[in-house]
Amino acid sequence: MNSLEDVVKFFKAYLDVDYAGNVAVYSESDEVLNGRRDASMKFWHAVPGTFLSPGFGRPMGMTAEQLSQLSATANLAHRKLFMVVEYSDPTWGILYTGYIGGDRETTAQSYAGLLYATKIKGDLKIIAHYREDIDKVSPPVHWRHSQGAEMTSLATPVAVRALEAPTGRAAHRQDWETLRNAVADR
């Protein structure tokens, strides 16, 4: 069993690697970018029959001039970790959800995804990624499967570690506050 603080550190370490990968897309050689992808993949575990991949990449073989042009369009931001929620799940046992922000300055203050993690062979691993279902009105925020394992309906949270409220969209903040208070209300 992990403490929520350990899970927060895990997700934050992943987001550091994710940011380095996003920066590499715009400024580094193919070799460095591939190294960043490899580092990112160490946080992931694809269950049989599923696909999981980092959210960053570019065509290989770009020239320095092409990279320079590409970097001129970048408005990268380090993703924020807004909240970690712990669930007791019949399939996975202890399951953790990390609510993360966007990777651009324009999306960094809003929810951009959920990362699900659990222990695999003794180590925390990300097993699924979900994105907001923008076809449904929030709050609550509705999520759709993006990659990895598909989660069934989760039970009431066991524990919540609220870190920072999203401020980009009022519906995200309201959803964050409701979930933050879910355990305290029991």
Side-chain angles (χ1 to χ4, degrees):
M1 181 162 184
N2 290 32
S3 75
L4 275 183
E5 287 308 313
D6 290 338
V7 179
V8 166
K9 288 177 187 173
F10 168 80
F11 280 127
K12 284 186 172 187
Y14 169 72
L15 294 177
D16 289 344
V17 169
D18 178 73
Y19 180 70
N22 276 316
V23 169
V25 165
Y26 293 93
S27 62
E28 300 290 347
S29 69
D30 292 350
E31 182 179 3
V32 170
L33 179 59
N34 286 333
R36 301 286 191 227
R37 283 186 61 79
D38 291 345
S40 177
M41 290 305 295
K42 290 178 182 176
F43 286 84
W44 297 81
H45 173 80
V47 295
T50 66
F51 173 78
L52 273 177
S53 178
F56 58 86
R58 68 159 192 253
M60 295 291 115
M62 294 181 78
T63 66
E65 183 179 321
Q66 289 171 318
L67 281 176
S68 176
Q69 291 172 350
L70 186 62
S71 69
T73 66
N75 66 350
L76 297 176
H78 192 291
R79 290 182 188 271
K80 294 179 184 291
L81 178 62
F82 296 115
M83 177 180 296
V84 173
V85 180
E86 178 183 334
Y87 295 94
S88 178
D89 185 78
T91 302
W92 298 100
I94 302 298
L95 185 65
Y96 302 99
T97 305
Y99 287 71
I100 62 171
D103 63 358
R104 302 290 188 255
E105 291 175 12
T106 56
T107 61
Q109 295 299 323
S110 297
Y111 286 161
L114 294 180
L115 298 174
Y116 287 91
T118 193
K119 276 202 168 183
I120 303 290
K121 297 180 182 175
D123 294 320
L124 274 176
K125 296 288 183 177
I126 297 167
I127 58 169
H129 179 234
Y130 275 64
R131 296 191 183 276
E132 182 177 6
D133 187 345
I134 58 173
D135 292 335
K136 296 183 180 175
V137 177
S138 300
V141 175
H142 299 275
W143 300 96
R144 64 178 164 76
H145 180 255
S146 176
Q147 60 177 335
E150 290 196 52
M151 300 296 137
T152 57
S153 210
L154 296 174
T156 304
V158 173
V160 175
R161 176 69 167 88
L163 301 163
E164 177 180 343
T167 58
R169 292 185 49 207
H172 290 183
R173 180 171 183 111
Q174 186 176 351
D175 186 79
W176 182 89
E177 289 173 353
T178 299
L179 194 50
R180 178 192 63 186
N181 297 329
V183 173
D185 291 343
R186 296 192 311 155

